[in-house]
Amino acid sequence: MTLDAQLLGILACPEDKGALYYFQSDEFLYNPRLGRKYLIREGIPIMLIEESLTVDDAERRLLQERIDAELIPLTFHEEAS
């Protein structure tokens, strides 16, 4: 299931308020700054810090490789102040 583009445009990490990467085929959102994944269940992003999954260094490297290879965009672009 694909998340709505308008929803993706406003989704941010609940902890650091930064943009996320959307791994559509794996159904999760990823924050590379904190190494945290937010699962999507039945089309609903679970944006609770206590339900997020922390990824180890090896998985962080693999996710970054996928971001680079698949050109996965951020959910939104933060504006410079």
Side-chain angles (χ1 to χ4, degrees):
M1 181 177 287
T2 302
L3 292 180
D4 181 76
Q6 285 185 313
L7 176 60
L8 282 173
I10 61 170
L11 277 175
C13 174
E15 186 168 350
D16 74 3
K17 311 302 185 232
L20 303 163
Y21 288 99
Y22 173 35
F23 286 78
Q24 180 180 341
S25 61
D26 298 306
E27 297 188 316
F28 68 83
L29 295 150
Y30 172 62
N31 179 337
R33 298 168 305 282
L34 301 177
R36 186 168 290 148
K37 290 176 12 178
Y38 295 93
L39 301 181
I40 300 168
R41 295 188 191 116
E42 298 180 24
I44 301 169
I46 310 302
M47 303 304 295
L48 299 170
I49 296 168
E50 54 275 358
E51 293 210 21
S52 67
L53 304 173
T54 303
V55 300
D56 63 21
D57 289 339
E59 187 173 4
R60 285 177 94 148
R61 283 190 297 277
L62 290 173
L63 291 172
Q64 187 60 53
E65 287 173 10
R66 284 188 59 196
I67 289 165
D68 296 340
E70 299 173 26
L71 303 174
I72 298 172
L74 287 166
T75 52
F76 64 88
H77 294 284
E78 299 176 51
E79 296 184 24
S81 358

